[in-house]
Amino acid sequence: MTIEFSCSHCNKVLKTSDDKAGRRAKCPQCGEAVTVPAPTTDVSADDGFGEFDAPVPEESSFLGEQTVSEEQSFLTGGQQVCPMCGESVPAGAAKCDYCGETLKATTGSGRGGWEPRIFSINDTFSRAWELYKANLGMVIAIPLVAGSIYFVASMVIGIFMQIVQNAVLQGGGRGDGTMVAVVVLALMQNFMTYCVMFYFQLGGQRVFLQLARGENPEFNELFSGGPFLGRMILCSIIYGLVVTLGFVALIIPGIILSLMFWPYSFILIDRDLPGIESFKKAKEVMAGNKLNFLGLSILSFLITAVGGLVTLFVGLILIIPFTYMLQTVAYAEMTNQ
C-alpha cells in the first residue's frame, strides 16, 4: 500500500510504501525532516460499498502514476544507520541529522547530479545562513588565515623586489635597459602576489563548497589549490580581458560578461576541467541566472557596506565570510548540489 502525504514545511507531495510509516527523513525539496504518517484505515460498519473496499493495486491506483517502489521512495536515495543513535540517514551523509555524529564524508554533490538550474535568492540566502551558523568557526577561520598569510606574503614579496630593484638602479643607472628591468621586476612582483592570492582563493573555495554540500572538510584543504593554479591564472587573465573590453564598450556589456562567466573558478575546482571548458560550463550555469545573481550581488554588497559602517568595520570579520558562503551556496544551488 502507498502512503501519500504533503511535507509540512514546503507542501511537496511525497509518496512511499506503508512499511515506512513512523519513520523520519529529509524532504527532497526543502531538506527539512518530516515523519511519514500512519496509513489511514476505516474499520467502520458496512456502508454498502464493501465490494469497493478491496485493496487497489498500486499500479492502478489514482495515488500514483506508477508503483512507488523502495528505490523511488523519497526515503531511499539509499539509507544507512547512524552508529551512534541508530536512526536512518541518507547513504553517504556526512553528519547524522538526529545526534550530530560525524559520518563518512560524501564524495558526491549532496543534492543529486551536477546539473544547471535556476536558483532562488530566498532559498540561497536561507541555506547560506544555516550553513554559516552551523560551521561558524571554520567559515570565519578560513578567510582570516588565508587573508593573513596573503598579507604577510605580499609584504615579503614587495620588500624583496624593492631590494632587487634598488640594486638594479644602483648598478645600471637610469638607462633604457635599467628601466626595462625595473618594469619587468614590477610585473614579476604582481605575478607572484596574484599567484599567492589565487592559491588561497582556490583552497578557500574548495572548503566552502564542501561545506555547502554537507561534507566535513579538513582545515588543510585551504592549501589544496596547487593543482588548479596554472589554469586559474590563465582563466583569470582571459576573464579580466573580456570583462574589461566589455566595460570599454559602454559598461553594460561588461556587466553582462562578468555575470555570464562569473562561476568559472568554482567550476574549475568542482569539475576539474581544462581552463577554456570552465568558461563554457560557466555560461551554461548562468543561463537564466544572471539577473538573480546580480540581485544577490547587490544584496551582498549592501550587507557588507552597511554592516561595516554600523560596526566601524570590525564586523567585517563576521560579514565577509558570510558573503563568501552566500556566493558558494549560489553556485551550489545553480548546479543542483
Side-chain angles (χ1 to χ4, degrees), residues 62 107 210 226-227 291:
F62 75 97
T107 56
Q210 289 179 42
L291 190 59

Side-chain angles (χ1 to χ4, degrees), residues 116-138:
R117 67 172 186 174
I118 306 299
F119 85 106
S120 161
I121 294 179
N122 289 337
D123 291 346
T124 298
F125 194 92
S126 298
R127 182 178 170 192
W129 178 242
E130 292 302 319
L131 286 166
Y132 176 78
K133 292 189 297 182
N135 302 280
L136 188 59
M138 179 75 81

